[in-house]
């Protein structure tokens, strides 16, 4: 795929450059709680603006179901982008209507505009090729060149990600080029030992990547809510803990495969339990109890890996030459259940290996828990996209950027 550096060498002065970013930031009462994804696209936007382009930034936010919804407006993201750029950013209150055209037509070379949430138009996410194509045609009318830099959306076959690049000269932005380079280090000529730590709530979200990694990783560490389905598959009592019963056969098969193929599958040896799920808003202390993973009380719920598991996982990460981590080890949003996730993050910081935080909740946890982002090899902006790449899938948004 052509990169933004090639575009800049060709010249963009006065050209309208459509940047498909990922500004899908978390909001609480209209306030951005983590601006990591906005900061991630800054190098691309700044380079284009400095070269004299008229930069049109577009993104989705949340799942507004094809209609205007103020709760999912990109206005807060546009305002934050302007603050980070240190320059005014125009905002259009529609995607392809009069407001979008007025905002773009009003740009001078070096200026930036953000159009409203792409998912306010049903054509963005439509499964109908014609409907998606019609929306892509209308988006193409806003620009002369396309730059794909929304890595968090490249696994989606959406109009602005998949169909629009076919209608304009297209290039990969700095973020996508970086993300793809990192993922190649995790799939091609990997430095070993290669250790993968997987967490998060649902084992079903990780089945395909586990299936792929059982043939590539040297060691798999399992934590988070998904660990309890593994413990149940081993015949242990898990009390009120999260369980995906329909996934038990697949999990049992993976446990057997790991043993046969020599992949070290590491499960929690202890866990923090509580009678009830904590209040994440009030964050009232709940004083959890640490119990052995094979001795969980029937009336308790596992909510984080325990202190012995924290030590075990840190030791299993210590000698890694390559680490990929996706998914928190517990309910990190509550201070009583944040230590497991914190321990894994610290182990990555302490590692001499190449460490990758695989986006999503893991990236949010790193920032929430106060870690210096520069202490990690790479923090991805796309959890789902990273996982699908590691699964060996073709990502539509990347395929669309290739010539």
């Amino acid at each position: 795929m052509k990169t933004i550096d090639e575009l800049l060498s060709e010249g963009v002065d006065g050209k309208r450059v459509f940047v498909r970013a990922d500004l899908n930031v978390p909001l609480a009462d209209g306030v951005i709680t983590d601006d990591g994804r906005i900061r991630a696209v800054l190098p691309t936007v700044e380079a284009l603006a400095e070269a004299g382009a008229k930069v049109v930034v577009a993104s989705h936010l949340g799942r507004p179901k094809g209609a205007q919804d103020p709760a999912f407006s990109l206005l807060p993201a546009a305002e934050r982008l302007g603050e980070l750029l240190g320059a005014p950013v125009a905002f259009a209150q529609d995607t392809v209507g009069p407001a979008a055209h007025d905002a773009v037509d009003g740009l001078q070379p070096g200026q930036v505009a953000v159009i409203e949430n792409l998912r306010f138009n049903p054509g963005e996410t439509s499964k109908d090729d014609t409907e998606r194509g019609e929306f892509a045609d209308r988006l193409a009318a806003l620009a002369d060149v396309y730059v794909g830099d929304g890595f968090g959306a490249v696994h989606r076959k959406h109009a602005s990600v998949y169909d629009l690049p076919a209608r304009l000269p297209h290039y990969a932005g700095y973020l996508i080029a970086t993300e793809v380079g990192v993922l190649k280090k995790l799939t091609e000529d990997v430095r070993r030992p290669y250790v993968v730590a997987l967490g998060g709530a649902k084992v079903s979200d990780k089945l395909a990547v586990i299936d792929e990694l059982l043939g590539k990783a040297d060691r798999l560490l399992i934590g988070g809510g998904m660990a309890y389905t593994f413990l149940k598959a081993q015949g242990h009592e898990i009390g009120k803990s999260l369980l995906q019963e329909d996934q038990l056969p697949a999990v049992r098969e993976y446990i057997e495969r790991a043993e046969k193929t020599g992949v070290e599958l590491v499960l929690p040896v202890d866990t923090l339990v509580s009678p009830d799920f904590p209040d994440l808003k009030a964050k009232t202390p709940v004083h959890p109890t640490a119990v052995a993973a094979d001795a969980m009380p029937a009336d308790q719920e596992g909510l984080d890996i325990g202190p012995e598991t924290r030590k075990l996982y840190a030791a299993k990460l210590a000698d890694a030459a390559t680490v990929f981590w996706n998914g928190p080890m517990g309910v990190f949003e509550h201070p009583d259940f944040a230590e497991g996730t914190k321990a894994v993050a610290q182990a990555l910081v302490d590692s001499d290996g190449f460490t990758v935080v695989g986006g999503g909740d893991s990236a949010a946890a790193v920032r929430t828990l106060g870690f210096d982002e520069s202490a990690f090899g790479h923090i991805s902006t796309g959890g789902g996209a990273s996982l699908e790449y590691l699964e060996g899938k073709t990502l539509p948004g990347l395929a669309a950027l290739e010539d």
Side-chain angles (χ1 to χ4, degrees), residues 202-402:
K202 295 181 179 179
V203 70
S204 56
D205 293 341
K206 306 288 196 301
L207 281 180
V209 76
I210 293 172
D211 185 59
E212 187 72 17
L213 289 170
L214 280 174
K216 293 181 178 174
D218 299 299
R219 194 176 296 149
L220 283 175
L221 314 182
I222 305 293
M226 62 185 284
Y228 300 105
T229 299
F230 276 83
L231 293 172
K232 184 71 172 179
Q234 290 184 321
H236 300 311
E237 168 66 57
I238 62 166
K240 295 157 57 179
S241 305
L242 189 63
L243 170 66
Q244 286 191 283
E245 199 158 358
D246 61 323
Q247 303 299 330
L248 285 171
V251 168
R252 289 191 187 103
E253 194 252 322
Y254 289 156
I255 292 172
E256 290 174 9
R257 266 180 59 197
E259 193 171 340
K260 287 178 183 175
T261 57
V263 174
E264 187 179 0
L265 182 62
V266 189
L267 300 177
V269 294
D270 64 345
T271 185
L272 293 187
V273 297
S274 176
D276 299 295
F277 196 86
D279 185 333
L280 299 184
K281 285 190 176 180
K283 294 183 169 55
T284 307
V286 296
H287 308 296
T289 305
V291 299
D294 59 358
M296 292 180 63
D299 62 347
Q300 302 275 307
E301 180 176 4
L303 296 165
D304 193 14
I305 57 174
E308 295 305 315
T309 305
R310 296 199 293 266
K311 292 177 194 172
L312 173 65
Y313 284 14
K316 295 294 184 182
L317 289 161
D319 68 342
T322 304
V323 180
F324 175 72
W325 170 35
N326 181 281
M329 296 291 110
V331 186
F332 74 92
E333 299 91 342
H334 191 286
D336 284 340
F337 303 103
E339 292 303 316
T341 301
K342 195 180 293 185
V344 168
Q346 187 62 53
L348 266 66
V349 169
D350 295 339
S351 172
D352 292 328
F354 178 61
T355 58
V356 180
V357 180
D361 287 340
S362 311
V366 163
R367 299 184 185 107
T368 300
L369 297 173
F371 286 91
D372 181 353
E373 293 181 45
S374 66
F376 302 89
H378 179 69
I379 299 178
S380 179
T381 57
S386 295
L387 287 175
E388 290 200 16
Y389 190 102
L390 293 181
E391 289 166 20
K393 290 184 177 179
T394 297
L395 306 189
L398 296 184
L401 293 174
E402 294 172 354

Side-chain angles (χ1 to χ4, degrees), residues 40 44 60 78-79 120 144 178 184 201 229 278 296 351:
T44 290
H60 70 287
E79 292 174 341
F120 284 178
D144 305 304
T178 298
K184 284 185 176 179
T229 299
M296 292 180 63
S351 172

Side-chain angles (χ1 to χ4, degrees), residues 155-235:
H155 58 315
R156 307 294 187 193
K157 193 176 181 181
H158 291 171
S160 65
V161 176
Y162 179 74
D163 301 272
L164 183 55
R167 289 157 168 78
L168 294 169
H170 45 270
Y171 302 80
Y174 289 126
L175 175 61
I176 279 188
T178 298
E179 295 272 14
V180 171
V182 166
L183 288 167
K184 284 185 176 179
K185 288 185 180 181
L186 298 177
T187 53
E188 302 171 14
D189 194 26
V190 181
R191 290 172 55 213
R192 297 185 181 278
Y194 178 20
V195 183
V196 177
L198 296 176
K202 295 181 179 179
V203 70
S204 56
D205 293 341
K206 306 288 196 301
L207 281 180
V209 76
I210 293 172
D211 185 59
E212 187 72 17
L213 289 170
L214 280 174
K216 293 181 178 174
D218 299 299
R219 194 176 296 149
L220 283 175
L221 314 182
I222 305 293
M226 62 185 284
Y228 300 105
T229 299
F230 276 83
L231 293 172
K232 184 71 172 179
Q234 290 184 321

